[in-house]
């Protein structure tokens, strides 16, 4: 039997050069992530779909308990972008993206 609780994301700040979201995975595995603008259109480098590429736009690190968002992904975002894990309903709001 394998049991887990939903992951818990913690508040954080960072720069587009190094952004990590502290995450208590609690045995869960991150498989998908969405990025959208407030009007619902896809955000980020994958503009044809809100779903972002695993290990390109986001990378979970289960040992360090973080989800990393690399600069190539962050530099493609605009202020107000919503980044979320759709199946779990967890959302991170990008409040400002440095130029």
């Amino acid at each position: 039997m394998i049991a887990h609780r939903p992951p818990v994301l913690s508040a954080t700040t960072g720069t587009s050069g190094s952004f990590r979201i502290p995450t208590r995975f609690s045995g869960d595995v991150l498989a998908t992530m969405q990025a959208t603008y407030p009007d619902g259109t896809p955000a980020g480098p994958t503009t044809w779909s809100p779903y972002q590429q695993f290990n390109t736009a986001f990378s979970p690190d289960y040992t360090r308990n973080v989800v990393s968002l690399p600069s190539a992904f962050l530099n493609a975002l605009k202020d107000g972008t919503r980044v979320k894990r759709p199946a779990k309903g967890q959302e991170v709001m990008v409040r400002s993206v440095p130029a």
Side-chain angles (χ1 to χ4, degrees), residues 8-57:
V8 176
L9 306 177
S10 298
T12 190
T13 59
T15 67
S16 62
S18 175
F19 194 81
R20 292 177 180 83
I21 304 168
T23 306
R24 188 174 26 168
F25 291 102
S26 303
D28 200 5
V29 177
L30 179 62
T32 63
M33 183 187 76
Q34 283 183 328
T36 58
Y37 293 119
D39 67 1
T41 58
T46 306
T47 58
W48 53 271
S49 172
Y51 290 92
Q52 300 299 309
Q53 190 173 2
F54 189 87
N55 277 341
T56 299

Side-chain angles (χ1 to χ4, degrees), residues 4 6 39 42 44 47 53-54 59 64-65 71 74 79 86 89 95:
H4 62 83
D39 67 1
T47 58
Q53 190 173 2
F54 189 87
S59 299
R64 294 185 178 141
N65 292 309
S71 59
L74 293 171
D79 192 30
R95 298 204 186 259

Side-chain angles (χ1 to χ4, degrees), residues 68-92:
S68 297
L69 304 179
S71 59
F73 172 70
L74 293 171
N75 290 333
L77 303 181
K78 298 176 189 169
D79 192 30
T81 301
R82 297 181 187 281
V83 178
K84 70 179 186 174
R85 182 175 183 197
K88 304 297 180 184
Q90 297 164 329
E91 185 172 296
V92 175

